[in-house]
Amino acid sequence: AQSVAQPEDQVNVAEGNPLTVKCTYSVSGNPYLFWYVQYPNRGLQVLLKYITGDNLVKGSYGFEAEFNKSQTSFHLKKPSALVSDSALYFCAVRDNRNSGYSTLTFGKGTMLLVSP
Amino acid sequence: GAVVSQHPSRVICKSGTSVKIECRSLDFQATTMFWYRQFPKQSLMLMATSNEGSKATYEQGVEKDKFLINHASLTLSTLTVTSAHPEDSSFYICSARLTPGQGHGGYNEQYFGPGTRLTVT
């Protein structure tokens, strides 16, 4: 079985400061890893994804994440937070074996609050 | 990019009635569609996986007779909540995945709809 852990329910950061939202995962094979953002009463938007290749993934709105296989982590980072980054963030994993049919498993989500 | 739509975006129904939610992949064919349920400030919980032309596979604890899923074509899946009760009130999100083989290097992207807010009174 695969799983995702987001240890923080909420992360608070002041605008202009760097932010980190933590994610660790467990999967039998090799992972596909994702970060999604959700604004109130909206669906999910993919921020970035790791499929293969470079461990450092750059995504939308200045976010990035580093795939660390030894630590089974995929933390989301941004050098300078904006108030508009305030939202609910989900980390997700899929097993890349039989990738056409594997399901996506989500973490419980981390609320990011950026204060002015 | 690929777009997934859901209709309606919001629905209010009375207890005991049924409501149907549509999920469409607008510009691609989706062999597989997924239905998720999300409670306020919580994660998405997979309810069922729907494959075109076959019966849906439900996750443990999801009542298949209550949440009827039909995936009649490569671009449309429907979720019908039958005999709805207030505890069925939730945010329902569908997702559609490219047909295997259409993706890059074996990976096939999964796209999410905007969600449907169901309120049962």
Side-chain angles (χ1 to χ4, degrees), chain A residues 38 41 49 94 99 102 107, chain B residues 38 43 97 106 108-109 117:
Chain A
Q38 185 181 34
N41 293 310
K49 60 191 175 197
R94 267 172 64 187
S99 61
S102 60
Chain B
Q38 184 183 28
S43 189
R97 185 180 291 178
N108 49 343
E109 186 68 79
R117 172 72 59 192

Side-chain angles (χ1 to χ4, degrees), chain B residues 13 28 31 47 49 52 62 64 68 83 85 104 108 112:
Chain B
C13 69
F28 66 99
T31 303
M47 298 174 66
T49 302
E52 185 264 340
V62 178
K64 57 184 68 176
L68 300 179
S83 187
H85 290 281
H104 171 69
N108 49 343
F112 286 83

Side-chain angles (χ1 to χ4, degrees), chain B residues 39-59:
Chain B
F39 292 103
K41 298 185 180 180
Q42 293 189 28
S43 189
L44 281 73
M45 301 302 298
L46 180 64
M47 298 174 66
T49 302
S50 165
N51 290 295
E52 185 264 340
S54 62
K55 291 184 178 180
T57 302
Y58 290 81
E59 296 299 302

Side-chain angles (χ1 to χ4, degrees), chain B residues 60-101:
Chain B
Q60 191 172 8
V62 178
E63 299 176 60
K64 57 184 68 176
D65 293 332
K66 182 167 187 60
F67 298 100
L68 300 179
I69 292 172
N70 186 304
H71 191 163
S73 78
L74 286 173
T75 59
L76 173 65
S77 177
T78 60
L79 168 67
T80 301
V81 183
T82 62
S83 187
H85 290 281
E87 57 264 30
D88 298 325
S89 298
S90 192
F91 194 52
Y92 292 87
I93 301 175
C94 77
S95 178
R97 185 180 291 178
L98 285 170
T99 299

Side-chain angles (χ1 to χ4, degrees), chain A residues 19-35:
Chain A
L19 69 88
T20 299
V21 183
K22 295 179 181 177
C23 171
T24 58
Y25 67 89
S26 174
V27 67
S28 297
N30 290 314
Y32 295 143
L33 292 160
F34 306 82
W35 275 102

